Every structure is written in C-alpha cells, then in structure tokens.
Amino acid sequence: MNGKELYRLLQLHFPNEAALSWDNVGLLCGRMDKEIQKVYLALDATGEDIAEAVRVGADLLLTHHPIIFSSIKRIEEKDYLGERLLCMIENHISCYAMHTNYDVKRMADIVVSRMGLDNLQVLEPTAADGHEGIGYTGDFKSPMTLGECAARIKEWFQIPDVRVYGDMQQVIRRVSVCPGSAKGMEDFALAQGGQVLIGGDFGHHEGLDCLEKHISVIDAGHHGLEHLFVDDMADFFAGHCPDIKIYKSKNVCPFRTV
C-alpha cells in the first residue's frame, strides 16, 4: 500500500485534528509516498524496538508516543534521539505517531470496555459538544472494595503490580479512568462523582493530594493501560489492510515494583 493511502486511512479514523494542541502526531520521519508492506507496532520508538523493526525489514514504525515532542537543532549519533532517527532514516523506516488523537478516538473506549463500565461520562472533554475527550468516568455493575478493584486492574490489563493510595476496604462503584498519565485529573473525576482515579504517573505528593481531596488512586503505571494500543492496532490493520504484514513489539514496561 502506498504511504499516502495508508496515512489517509489512519487520518480517517484517528485524525491529527483530534490531538491536543501540545502534541506532535502523524508522520514524523520518512517520505509520504513510500510503499508500506511491513508495519512494526510499538508503544514507544525505543532503540530496542527500532533495532527489531530494522531486523524484520519494516517499512513503517507506528507508535503511540511520538519520538519527537519538541523542536530539535541537530540529528547526530552522539545524541540518543539523533541516533534513533538516523537509524530509521538509514534503514528507510518511516515513523508515524498516534498519541492524544488515538487517546480521544479509541484508547479509553477499549479500556472501559474491558472493565465493563456503564453510565459513561467523558472525563476531560476536548470537543465542544463534550462527547469526545480524554478518559471516562463510569460505574461498575456491582460495587467492590478498592483492594478488589486493584486486583482486577492487574488481571484485566495483565500487569504485575499497581500502587494504591486509599483505604483498601473502601467500597467503590463509580470510577474515573485516564490511560497514560492521570496526574492533575482528580478534579475532573471528583466533579463527576469518581471515588477512585485509575491511571499512571502519580508521585508520592500527587497521591497524598488526591487523598486530601477525598479521592483514592490506583496507579497502574503509564504503560499499564496503554499497552493495549499494540494489539488494538494489529486488529485494525487486519480488518482494513490485510495485505500489510504486522509485527508487534514484545517489549514490556521496564518499571517494576519489587
């Protein structure tokens, strides 16, 4: 498939215009009209994933997190970002990112579907009509304790551990979910009746601040919920571009609680 055709398809489902203003999405490296026969899917454009994309002969590295977030002044091998970009350029691998546009259009939907939440309300609306945005608040079909919820998050998303701020015996039903970084989202959650905020990137002080505001926290890590991107996009390509060969990153989050 020609790159222009593929990117047009991705734009149809995950338009760049849906991304937040600070984000950097779309084709970040490569030629627009390059033929795409092999796609490597990853959460991040790490050195390890780029090396694997080279090994399998990928034409495109499609990631959730953009390899380039802000302006750069040079591309050279002594810089860790420059080295990765050079590796892709020298091996004719294009790089395309779908970050907050994917978050708005898809990420939270597959997360809350796996959790079985009802009565959904967009956590942080980004569209004027309030029907699109980042994350959701919703209700479990039956109440459970905070400890039971934490255990189920590990099971639902196949992650080894989570961090919890709150009373493990607290009975909860209405929860707010923000895949990726959920820092600073507690006020949106509280306004919608959320009893616990589930997401990632909470530090010690952010956790304590949430408790002061009377909302519990389950920190599943930044990777914990977002790793669903790889399998979901593999399904997308199988349904829309079956002739493109897909390779999926096997990298897991390097962070562990031990």
Side-chain angles (χ1 to χ4, degrees):
M1 177 182 285
N2 184 270
K4 288 182 179 179
E5 184 180 357
L6 174 58
Y7 303 142
R8 190 179 304 118
L9 175 66
L10 293 176
Q11 285 292 311
L12 179 64
H13 292 269
F14 313 102
N16 288 354
E17 293 76 17
L20 301 187
S21 60
W22 50 262
D23 207 358
N24 190 31
V25 297
L27 184 63
L28 304 184
C29 177
R31 297 186 183 279
M32 183 67 71
D33 59 355
K34 175 181 172 61
E35 286 296 316
I36 307 296
Q37 297 179 354
K38 298 179 181 180
V39 173
Y40 187 93
L41 300 171
L43 198 64
D44 296 276
T46 65
E48 184 177 352
D49 278 316
I50 291 172
E52 186 63 12
V54 172
R55 188 188 71 80
V56 302
D59 302 299
L60 174 68
L61 173 61
L62 178 62
T63 67
H64 180 48
H65 297 131
I67 188 172
I68 302 172
F69 257 119
S70 54
S71 61
I72 55 177
K73 294 185 177 180
R74 60 180 59 84
I75 300 176
E76 51 95 14
E77 72 276 10
K78 293 181 181 180
D79 175 75
Y80 79 99
L81 174 58
E83 173 61 29
R84 285 182 287 162
L85 290 171
L86 282 172
C87 185
M88 287 190 290
I89 292 168
E90 291 168 351
N91 287 279
H92 306 286
I93 298 175
S94 299
C95 189
Y96 191 99
M98 302 189 327
H99 190 210
T100 52
N101 51 330
Y102 180 85
D103 288 338
V104 167
K105 292 294 184 178
R106 183 69 175 146
M107 181 72 82
D109 292 271
I110 57 176
V111 168
V112 297
S113 175
R114 186 167 293 197
M115 295 174 65
L117 297 183
D118 293 326
N119 305 318
L120 296 177
Q121 184 177 357
V122 175
L123 182 60
E124 182 185 9
T126 58
D129 60 8
H131 293 158
E132 282 189 346
I134 304 296
Y136 282 113
T137 299
D139 297 324
F140 286 123
K141 292 179 175 61
S142 300
M144 66 183 74
T145 67
L146 182 63
E148 289 170 337
C149 182
R152 293 192 185 186
I153 292 295
K154 292 166 61 176
E155 176 186 350
W156 286 326
F157 300 102
Q158 301 175 339
I159 52 179
D161 45 58
V162 295
R163 299 170 64 204
V164 180
Y165 293 87
D167 178 0
M168 299 294 274
Q169 299 305 314
Q170 176 192 5
V171 177
I172 60 171
R173 183 160 195 164
R174 189 156 179 81
V175 301
S176 298
V177 184
C178 182
S181 179
K183 290 193 300 184
M185 300 294 283
E186 65 272 10
D187 289 337
F188 293 105
L190 285 164
Q192 297 172 4
Q195 296 169 280
V196 57
L197 176 58
I198 303 169
D201 292 351
F202 290 95
H204 173 72
H205 296 290
E206 288 87 8
L208 293 181
D209 288 345
C210 285
L211 292 181
E212 288 288 336
K213 295 179 179 181
H214 303 292
I215 185 168
S216 299
V217 167
I218 297 177
D219 187 340
H222 198 108
H223 172 275
L225 308 184
E226 289 194 330
H227 70 85
L228 300 180
F229 169 84
V230 172
D231 284 339
D232 185 59
M233 286 308 300
D235 291 340
F236 176 89
F237 276 93
H240 292 85
C241 314
D243 293 335
I244 292 180
K245 186 169 180 58
I246 296 299
Y247 298 87
K248 298 191 296 183
S249 170
K250 296 181 175 60
N251 284 345
V252 297
C253 180
F255 175 82
R256 286 290 181 271
T257 298
V258 296

